[in-house]
Amino acid sequence: SFQMELHRPESGNEIVARMISLQCRVVGHESDETLQRDLCWTKSEALRHVKDEKVDAICKLADLCMRKVSLERHADRKQPLVFMYNCTIGLPAYYSRRLDQESKDFCNNVLKPLLGDEFADAVWKVCSRSAWLEQNTRDWDGAQAAHITGAAQGYQESMAADASVVAENVNRMGFNFYG
């Protein structure tokens, strides 16, 4: 007998969350044409639910959050040569703190006036935790030897916690309607 499968279309919130995730993934991989194409397509999908200035602002916030967590993780490296570089020349902890403040200021001064406090707070949580999810995924992928010893377990636990916070806040972003 014939069975028809019905697929529920993605909500505006789900599309925006996917866009945020892709924006985070692009950071550090700006020359990857496939990621750029995927992000462009996802932005065009988001524009069906969200005005362009909001899409641009959300992508900017996700970019700031990803750059911040990447620098924060780099500042936490303990290898002696990396530690010396971080303390003398690179100063990733300093730049990470600056990006953290810049992202908070951007959320307060740009995103909240565009979206309202409640929706902007949900977008902030999705951007921030999507950035950590991406960073922990990268670190987990890079910890090949640690998979055998179990040392990479912390990355998996962090990834699960990040994914949980993202999932809790996606439906609170307010993009299930046009505008």
Side-chain angles (χ1 to χ4, degrees):
S1 81
F2 174 76
Q3 276 190 321
M4 183 186 322
E5 289 186 41
L6 299 175
H7 297 281
R8 182 183 59 84
E10 282 185 300
S11 72
N13 286 330
E14 292 165 337
I15 292 168
V16 170
R18 187 163 29 92
M19 179 186 71
I20 290 168
S21 178
L22 274 166
Q23 181 65 57
C24 290
R25 181 150 305 146
V26 164
V27 173
H29 303 288
E30 287 81 3
S31 63
D32 186 322
E33 292 176 13
T34 302
L35 285 177
Q36 292 290 344
R37 184 186 65 231
D38 291 348
L39 179 60
C40 184
W41 180 81
T42 303
K43 283 181 178 181
S44 70
E45 289 291 301
L47 288 169
R48 293 178 28 222
H49 299 271
V50 184
K51 291 181 180 174
D52 57 349
E53 67 270 7
K54 293 177 184 179
V55 166
D56 292 342
I58 293 165
C59 285
K60 167 87 172 166
L61 181 61
D63 182 82
L64 288 169
C65 288
M66 187 63 209
R67 291 183 191 288
K68 178 249 184 214
V69 299
S70 180
L71 283 169
E72 186 174 325
R73 185 58 55 85
H74 187 70
D76 196 36
R77 301 291 189 229
K78 305 291 190 269
Q79 297 94 343
L81 291 176
V82 173
F83 181 76
M84 284 178 36
Y85 173 81
N86 287 347
C87 290
T88 59
I89 299 170
L91 304 174
Y94 168 76
Y95 291 111
S96 176
R97 285 190 301 273
R98 280 184 51 188
L99 283 170
D100 184 48
Q101 188 59 52
E102 185 179 344
S103 64
K104 288 175 182 172
D105 291 345
F106 185 82
C107 186
N108 288 328
N109 299 328
V110 176
L111 212 55
K112 285 186 177 185
L114 276 174
L115 305 178
D117 289 358
E118 184 181 339
F119 294 145
D121 288 341
V123 169
W124 165 261
K125 288 175 185 171
V126 172
C127 286
S128 177
R129 294 308 282 265
S130 291
W132 274 113
L133 179 58
E134 176 63 23
Q135 185 62 46
N136 285 320
T137 301
R138 290 177 185 185
D139 290 342
W140 184 78
D141 285 345
Q144 295 302 319
H147 292 286
I148 297 167
T149 64
Q153 187 67 29
Y155 293 130
Q156 286 183 308
E157 291 167 1
S158 293
M159 289 161 52
D162 296 329
S164 177
V165 172
V166 168
E168 288 172 17
N169 286 281
V170 164
N171 289 327
R172 297 179 184 156
M173 292 192 299
F175 300 122
N176 283 341
F177 302 100
Y178 293 90

